[in-house]
mmCIF file of all heavy atoms in Angstrom:
data_model
loop_
_atom_site.group_PDB
_atom_site.id
_atom_site.type_symbol
_atom_site.label_atom_id
_atom_site.label_comp_id
_atom_site.label_asym_id
_atom_site.label_seq_id
_atom_site.Cartn_x
_atom_site.Cartn_y
_atom_site.Cartn_z
ATOM 1 N N GLY A 1 262.018 77.614 156.317
ATOM 2 C CA GLY A 1 262.992 76.677 155.766
ATOM 3 C C GLY A 1 264.426 77.020 156.087
ATOM 4 O O GLY A 1 265.263 76.133 156.235
ATOM 5 N N ILE A 2 264.731 78.312 156.202
ATOM 6 C CA ILE A 2 266.106 78.720 156.463
ATOM 7 C C ILE A 2 266.418 78.793 157.961
ATOM 8 O O ILE A 2 267.569 79.000 158.355
ATOM 9 C CB ILE A 2 266.394 80.092 155.805
ATOM 10 C CG1 ILE A 2 267.887 80.309 155.628
ATOM 11 C CG2 ILE A 2 265.736 81.222 156.589
ATOM 12 C CD1 ILE A 2 268.233 81.546 154.827
ATOM 13 N N SER A 3 265.399 78.600 158.785
ATOM 14 C CA SER A 3 265.570 78.798 160.230
ATOM 15 C C SER A 3 265.332 77.532 161.040
ATOM 16 O O SER A 3 265.075 77.605 162.239
ATOM 17 C CB SER A 3 264.627 79.901 160.715
ATOM 18 O OG SER A 3 264.865 81.092 160.012
ATOM 19 N N GLN A 4 265.404 76.374 160.384
ATOM 20 C CA GLN A 4 265.250 75.077 161.067
ATOM 21 C C GLN A 4 263.897 74.968 161.770
ATOM 22 O O GLN A 4 263.791 74.427 162.859
ATOM 23 C CB GLN A 4 266.387 74.853 162.071
ATOM 24 C CG GLN A 4 267.758 74.783 161.411
ATOM 25 C CD GLN A 4 268.868 74.581 162.412
ATOM 26 O OE1 GLN A 4 269.261 75.515 163.097
ATOM 27 N NE2 GLN A 4 269.369 73.368 162.497
ATOM 28 N N MET A 5 262.869 75.472 161.111
ATOM 29 C CA MET A 5 261.525 75.436 161.691
ATOM 30 C C MET A 5 260.670 74.397 160.954
ATOM 31 O O MET A 5 260.476 74.504 159.751
ATOM 32 C CB MET A 5 260.863 76.811 161.596
ATOM 33 C CG MET A 5 261.556 77.902 162.365
ATOM 34 S SD MET A 5 260.797 79.528 162.078
ATOM 35 C CE MET A 5 259.187 79.296 162.855
ATOM 36 N N PRO A 6 260.141 73.409 161.660
ATOM 37 C CA PRO A 6 259.191 72.492 161.033
ATOM 38 C C PRO A 6 257.935 73.261 160.616
ATOM 39 O O PRO A 6 257.494 74.169 161.325
ATOM 40 C CB PRO A 6 258.864 71.487 162.149
ATOM 41 C CG PRO A 6 259.977 71.647 163.146
ATOM 42 C CD PRO A 6 260.401 73.072 163.072
ATOM 43 N N VAL A 7 257.367 72.902 159.479
ATOM 44 C CA VAL A 7 256.221 73.632 158.942
ATOM 45 C C VAL A 7 254.952 72.813 159.118
ATOM 46 O O VAL A 7 254.881 71.648 158.713
ATOM 47 C CB VAL A 7 256.427 73.956 157.449
ATOM 48 C CG1 VAL A 7 255.231 74.727 156.902
ATOM 49 C CG2 VAL A 7 257.709 74.762 157.259
ATOM 50 N N ALA A 8 253.942 73.422 159.702
ATOM 51 C CA ALA A 8 252.644 72.770 159.875
ATOM 52 C C ALA A 8 251.799 72.982 158.626
ATOM 53 O O ALA A 8 251.739 74.086 158.089
ATOM 54 C CB ALA A 8 251.925 73.342 161.099
ATOM 55 N N GLY A 9 251.165 71.928 158.172
ATOM 56 C CA GLY A 9 250.293 72.014 157.012
ATOM 57 C C GLY A 9 248.835 71.863 157.407
ATOM 58 O O GLY A 9 248.491 71.758 158.579
ATOM 59 N N SER A 10 247.973 71.844 156.401
ATOM 60 C CA SER A 10 246.546 71.686 156.636
ATOM 61 C C SER A 10 245.966 70.768 155.574
ATOM 62 O O SER A 10 246.692 69.984 154.951
ATOM 63 C CB SER A 10 245.863 73.056 156.639
ATOM 64 O OG SER A 10 244.499 72.942 157.007
ATOM 65 N N THR A 11 244.670 70.872 155.329
ATOM 66 C CA THR A 11 243.991 70.043 154.341
ATOM 67 C C THR A 11 243.871 70.752 153.004
ATOM 68 O O THR A 11 243.267 70.235 152.070
ATOM 69 C CB THR A 11 242.602 69.662 154.859
ATOM 70 O OG1 THR A 11 241.965 70.847 155.372
ATOM 71 C CG2 THR A 11 242.708 68.644 155.975
ATOM 72 N N TYR A 12 244.396 71.951 152.912
ATOM 73 C CA TYR A 12 244.503 72.732 151.682
ATOM 74 C C TYR A 12 245.585 73.754 151.963
ATOM 75 O O TYR A 12 246.063 73.870 153.099
ATOM 76 C CB TYR A 12 243.161 73.411 151.334
ATOM 77 C CG TYR A 12 243.083 73.913 149.905
ATOM 78 C CD1 TYR A 12 242.891 73.029 148.857
ATOM 79 C CD2 TYR A 12 243.225 75.267 149.612
ATOM 80 C CE1 TYR A 12 242.831 73.471 147.543
ATOM 81 C CE2 TYR A 12 243.165 75.721 148.300
ATOM 82 C CZ TYR A 12 242.968 74.818 147.271
ATOM 83 O OH TYR A 12 242.917 75.263 145.982
ATOM 84 N N TRP A 13 246.036 74.486 150.948
ATOM 85 C CA TRP A 13 246.982 75.551 151.243
ATOM 86 C C TRP A 13 246.308 76.552 152.181
ATOM 87 O O TRP A 13 245.087 76.751 152.130
ATOM 88 C CB TRP A 13 247.431 76.235 149.955
ATOM 89 C CG TRP A 13 248.202 75.306 149.077
ATOM 90 C CD1 TRP A 13 249.467 74.839 149.267
ATOM 91 C CD2 TRP A 13 247.736 74.705 147.857
ATOM 92 N NE1 TRP A 13 249.826 73.997 148.250
ATOM 93 C CE2 TRP A 13 248.779 73.893 147.361
ATOM 94 C CE3 TRP A 13 246.542 74.792 147.133
ATOM 95 C CZ2 TRP A 13 248.670 73.163 146.195
ATOM 96 C CZ3 TRP A 13 246.430 74.056 145.959
ATOM 97 C CH2 TRP A 13 247.483 73.266 145.505
ATOM 98 N N ASN A 14 247.116 77.188 153.008
ATOM 99 C CA ASN A 14 246.566 78.047 154.064
ATOM 100 C C ASN A 14 246.108 79.387 153.503
ATOM 101 O O ASN A 14 246.764 80.413 153.666
ATOM 102 C CB ASN A 14 247.614 78.265 155.160
ATOM 103 C CG ASN A 14 248.112 76.954 155.734
ATOM 104 O OD1 ASN A 14 247.432 75.941 155.672
ATOM 105 N ND2 ASN A 14 249.304 76.973 156.281
ATOM 106 N N LEU A 15 244.962 79.373 152.852
ATOM 107 C CA LEU A 15 244.444 80.542 152.150
ATOM 108 C C LEU A 15 243.016 80.838 152.587
ATOM 109 O O LEU A 15 242.217 79.929 152.795
ATOM 110 C CB LEU A 15 244.439 80.301 150.638
ATOM 111 C CG LEU A 15 245.653 79.586 150.030
ATOM 112 C CD1 LEU A 15 245.407 79.329 148.552
ATOM 113 C CD2 LEU A 15 246.916 80.394 150.256
ATOM 114 N N VAL A 16 242.719 82.125 152.699
ATOM 115 C CA VAL A 16 241.351 82.570 152.950
ATOM 116 C C VAL A 16 241.052 83.704 151.976
ATOM 117 O O VAL A 16 241.914 84.546 151.706
ATOM 118 C CB VAL A 16 241.171 83.058 154.400
ATOM 119 C CG1 VAL A 16 239.785 83.652 154.606
ATOM 120 C CG2 VAL A 16 241.385 81.910 155.386
ATOM 121 N N HIS A 17 239.833 83.723 151.453
ATOM 122 C CA HIS A 17 239.466 84.746 150.471
ATOM 123 C C HIS A 17 238.483 85.753 151.069
ATOM 124 O O HIS A 17 237.601 85.401 151.838
ATOM 125 C CB HIS A 17 238.862 84.101 149.228
ATOM 126 C CG HIS A 17 239.865 83.346 148.420
ATOM 127 N ND1 HIS A 17 240.691 83.959 147.503
ATOM 128 C CD2 HIS A 17 240.216 82.029 148.425
ATOM 129 C CE1 HIS A 17 241.486 83.060 146.958
ATOM 130 N NE2 HIS A 17 241.227 81.885 147.501
ATOM 131 N N GLY A 18 238.679 87.008 150.699
ATOM 132 C CA GLY A 18 237.815 88.095 151.132
ATOM 133 C C GLY A 18 238.462 89.413 150.779
ATOM 134 O O GLY A 18 239.688 89.526 150.808
ATOM 135 N N CYS A 19 237.661 90.381 150.445
ATOM 136 C CA CYS A 19 238.191 91.704 150.082
ATOM 137 C C CYS A 19 237.934 92.698 151.207
ATOM 138 O O CYS A 19 238.847 93.101 151.908
ATOM 139 C CB CYS A 19 237.567 92.180 148.775
ATOM 140 S SG CYS A 19 238.204 93.783 148.203
ATOM 141 N N VAL A 20 236.706 93.083 151.386
ATOM 142 C CA VAL A 20 236.380 94.019 152.455
ATOM 143 C C VAL A 20 236.204 93.243 153.754
ATOM 144 O O VAL A 20 235.923 92.041 153.734
ATOM 145 C CB VAL A 20 235.098 94.823 152.127
ATOM 146 C CG1 VAL A 20 235.297 95.636 150.868
ATOM 147 C CG2 VAL A 20 233.902 93.891 151.982
ATOM 148 N N PRO A 21 236.421 93.883 154.912
ATOM 149 C CA PRO A 21 236.265 93.191 156.198
ATOM 150 C C PRO A 21 234.941 92.448 156.293
ATOM 151 O O PRO A 21 233.928 92.896 155.772
ATOM 152 C CB PRO A 21 236.354 94.329 157.211
ATOM 153 C CG PRO A 21 237.219 95.350 156.539
ATOM 154 C CD PRO A 21 236.854 95.282 155.081
ATOM 155 N N VAL A 22 234.995 91.304 156.935
ATOM 156 C CA VAL A 22 233.903 90.351 157.196
ATOM 157 C C VAL A 22 233.651 89.395 156.037
ATOM 158 O O VAL A 22 232.966 88.391 156.216
ATOM 159 C CB VAL A 22 232.559 91.008 157.625
ATOM 160 C CG1 VAL A 22 232.774 92.035 158.704
ATOM 161 C CG2 VAL A 22 231.787 91.600 156.456
ATOM 162 N N GLU A 23 234.197 89.648 154.838
ATOM 163 C CA GLU A 23 233.963 88.719 153.738
ATOM 164 C C GLU A 23 234.622 87.366 153.976
ATOM 165 O O GLU A 23 234.146 86.349 153.456
ATOM 166 C CB GLU A 23 234.447 89.318 152.416
ATOM 167 C CG GLU A 23 233.467 90.288 151.798
ATOM 168 C CD GLU A 23 233.840 90.689 150.370
ATOM 169 O OE1 GLU A 23 234.964 90.381 149.931
ATOM 170 O OE2 GLU A 23 232.985 91.305 149.729
ATOM 171 N N ALA A 24 235.700 87.330 154.757
ATOM 172 C CA ALA A 24 236.345 86.052 155.061
ATOM 173 C C ALA A 24 235.373 85.100 155.747
ATOM 174 O O ALA A 24 235.509 83.879 155.646
ATOM 175 C CB ALA A 24 237.577 86.283 155.939
ATOM 176 N N GLU A 25 234.398 85.662 156.431
ATOM 177 C CA GLU A 25 233.399 84.855 157.127
ATOM 178 C C GLU A 25 232.627 83.962 156.154
ATOM 179 O O GLU A 25 232.125 82.904 156.537
ATOM 180 C CB GLU A 25 232.425 85.770 157.864
ATOM 181 C CG GLU A 25 231.709 85.133 159.037
ATOM 182 C CD GLU A 25 232.637 84.856 160.200
ATOM 183 O OE1 GLU A 25 233.367 85.770 160.610
ATOM 184 O OE2 GLU A 25 232.615 83.707 160.693
ATOM 185 N N GLU A 26 232.540 84.373 154.903
ATOM 186 C CA GLU A 26 231.791 83.616 153.908
ATOM 187 C C GLU A 26 232.612 82.490 153.279
ATOM 188 O O GLU A 26 232.054 81.650 152.571
ATOM 189 C CB GLU A 26 231.300 84.567 152.816
ATOM 190 C CG GLU A 26 230.401 85.687 153.323
ATOM 191 C CD GLU A 26 230.027 86.666 152.222
ATOM 192 O OE1 GLU A 26 230.087 86.279 151.035
ATOM 193 O OE2 GLU A 26 229.695 87.812 152.558
ATOM 194 N N ASP A 27 233.913 82.479 153.522
ATOM 195 C CA ASP A 27 234.775 81.442 152.949
ATOM 196 C C ASP A 27 234.820 80.246 153.903
ATOM 197 O O ASP A 27 235.750 80.082 154.692
ATOM 198 C CB ASP A 27 236.180 81.998 152.701
ATOM 199 C CG ASP A 27 237.090 81.004 151.984
ATOM 200 O OD1 ASP A 27 236.609 79.900 151.635
ATOM 201 O OD2 ASP A 27 238.268 81.327 151.780
ATOM 202 N N ALA A 28 233.815 79.396 153.800
ATOM 203 C CA ALA A 28 233.698 78.268 154.726
ATOM 204 C C ALA A 28 234.880 77.314 154.631
ATOM 205 O O ALA A 28 235.405 76.842 155.640
ATOM 206 C CB ALA A 28 232.391 77.511 154.469
ATOM 207 N N GLU A 29 235.336 77.048 153.393
ATOM 208 C CA GLU A 29 236.468 76.140 153.247
ATOM 209 C C GLU A 29 237.748 76.765 153.779
ATOM 210 O O GLU A 29 238.583 76.092 154.391
ATOM 211 C CB GLU A 29 236.663 75.741 151.782
ATOM 212 C CG GLU A 29 237.775 74.716 151.608
ATOM 213 C CD GLU A 29 237.976 74.275 150.169
ATOM 214 O OE1 GLU A 29 237.311 74.821 149.267
ATOM 215 O OE2 GLU A 29 238.811 73.375 149.945
ATOM 216 N N GLY A 30 237.920 78.069 153.553
ATOM 217 C CA GLY A 30 239.102 78.742 154.069
ATOM 218 C C GLY A 30 239.182 78.673 155.582
ATOM 219 O O GLY A 30 240.247 78.372 156.150
#
């Protein structure tokens, strides 16, 4: 916002859930 950069959005906030490595693979919506 402070650097004159247009922001790309998605179909939800850009979030992925996972704790230990590889758990993000289970977040299909993310």
